[in-house]
Amino acid sequence: MRTFLSTALIALVAVLVPLSALAVWADREIGNTDRFVSATAPLAADADVQSAVSDRVTDEAMKQIDLGPLQGGAAQLLNDAVTSYTGTPGFQKVWNTVTRTTHQALVDALNNGSGDSVTIDLAPVTAQVKQQLTDSGLPFANQIPVDHTDITVLESDRLGTWRDVFHTLEIAGIWLPIATLLLTATALLLAVRRLRALTALGLALAVGAILLGITVAVARGITLDDLPPDVDRPAAGAVYDALTATLRTTMWVVLAAGLVLAAAAWLTARLRTRRSEPRPVPMKPL
């Protein structure tokens, strides 16, 4: 009976490992503004994000500017100016401000059910570029509108489902990892053969890590597939990858720890078995 209970608990650990990682991630990173901003800060230097910002700001601005035959050249000039600006330290500061505001929109969408999309408002970027072009004396710079210019990073008809999942994970928070540790300790205490249980536990951790990796990959595909056709998918993918970076790190750490534990326990068991085997008694010569 003890062996059966121990095995069942170890199998349950394999399921709880990815859920625990997701619960901590939802509570401590997605639910925390400072950590959200920190996670998305490197995106300011991402080529796909910079390109998406440049194209979006240019397209929205040129919709409200009519320069006749000079339209194409003006659009290219504006795009070059935005692209150049995205490579400056000033853009990093503006990006951090923008993502801080975006986090509030994300929290509202997940907690309050306000809308079915989450966007990044690029108006501060447009304002900075307009000021630079105005200072340089560009004739049409004063016509550049500083309106809400959005990039969609999350939009889905299934956002209600994502809300339910997020709420469940957020409620679980740190308690789910604690419960997982307690179940792990209980499984080891119940085990008749501790080394065998440790081997199984290491394999369970590895399986849990693999399940976590699969979950992150599948969710990425679903998230990007649900985006509207006009959304820049490489940029949205970069945002998703930045927000789930800690989950992928956790996956590799748990996978490595599980395999090392399983291998160490198995080798220790093998060595003990060999030491306990009776040694042949040497025959005396006649």
Side-chain angles (χ1 to χ4, degrees):
M1 185 64 178
R2 288 177 56 187
T3 300
F4 172 78
L5 288 175
S6 177
T7 303
L9 290 176
I10 289 174
L12 183 59
V13 167
V15 177
L16 291 178
V17 164
L19 293 177
S20 298
L22 289 169
V24 173
W25 172 76
D27 182 48
R28 298 301 176 90
E29 185 158 327
I30 299 301
N32 184 286
T33 301
D34 290 336
R35 293 186 180 181
F36 180 91
V37 173
S38 178
T40 55
L43 290 172
D46 184 90
D48 290 326
V49 172
Q50 291 179 346
S51 176
V53 169
S54 300
D55 292 344
R56 190 66 175 171
V57 170
T58 301
D59 291 345
E60 290 302 312
M62 297 311 297
K63 286 179 182 178
Q64 302 182 55
I65 299 176
D66 184 7
L67 299 176
L70 301 177
Q71 191 80 359
Q76 185 59 54
L77 183 61
L78 178 58
N79 188 274
D80 291 344
V82 180
T83 300
S84 177
Y85 174 67
T86 58
T88 66
F91 177 65
Q92 179 70 70
K93 295 180 180 179
V94 171
W95 177 259
N96 290 346
T97 301
V98 166
T99 54
R100 186 172 292 275
T101 304
T102 301
H103 179 259
Q104 186 58 54
L106 175 62
V107 171
D108 289 342
L110 292 174
N111 288 333
N112 305 322
S114 57
D116 59 356
S117 65
V118 177
T119 59
I120 297 176
D121 182 13
L122 300 176
V125 177
T126 307
Q128 290 293 324
V129 173
K130 179 179 180 178
Q131 185 61 51
Q132 289 186 8
L133 293 178
T134 301
D135 293 343
S136 64
L138 193 67
F140 71 89
N142 62 337
Q143 299 182 45
I144 298 175
V146 183
D147 297 326
H148 291 292
T149 303
D150 298 332
I151 287 183
T152 301
V153 294
L154 174 63
E155 181 171 311
S156 174
D157 295 334
R158 293 187 287 266
L159 197 55
T161 303
W162 292 120
R163 289 188 188 104
D164 294 339
V165 172
F166 178 77
H167 286 162
T168 302
L169 292 173
E170 194 174 32
I171 291 171
I174 195 64
W175 297 109
L176 190 55
I178 292 175
T180 303
L181 291 174
L182 291 176
L183 287 176
T184 300
T186 303
L188 293 177
L189 289 174
L190 289 173
V192 177
R193 299 182 178 180
R194 296 285 169 79
L195 287 176
R196 181 175 294 182
L198 283 172
T199 302
L201 177 61
L203 294 176
L205 291 175
V207 170
I210 293 172
L211 290 176
L212 176 61
I214 292 173
T215 300
V216 173
V218 170
R220 186 183 196 277
I222 294 174
T223 301
L224 296 184
D225 288 343
D226 283 345
L227 292 173
D230 61 334
V231 174
D232 190 298
R233 275 167 172 69
V239 173
Y240 181 91
D241 292 340
L243 292 177
T244 57
T246 55
L247 289 176
R248 292 193 301 276
T249 300
T250 300
M251 178 199 71
W252 288 114
V253 170
V254 174
L255 178 62
L259 293 177
V260 169
L261 176 62
W266 182 80
L267 288 173
T268 302
R270 291 284 295 175
L271 289 173
R272 287 188 179 181
T273 300
R274 288 186 178 182
R275 289 175 182 175
S276 63
E277 291 177 350
R279 298 181 180 180
V281 179
M283 296 183 64
K284 297 181 180 180
L286 296 175

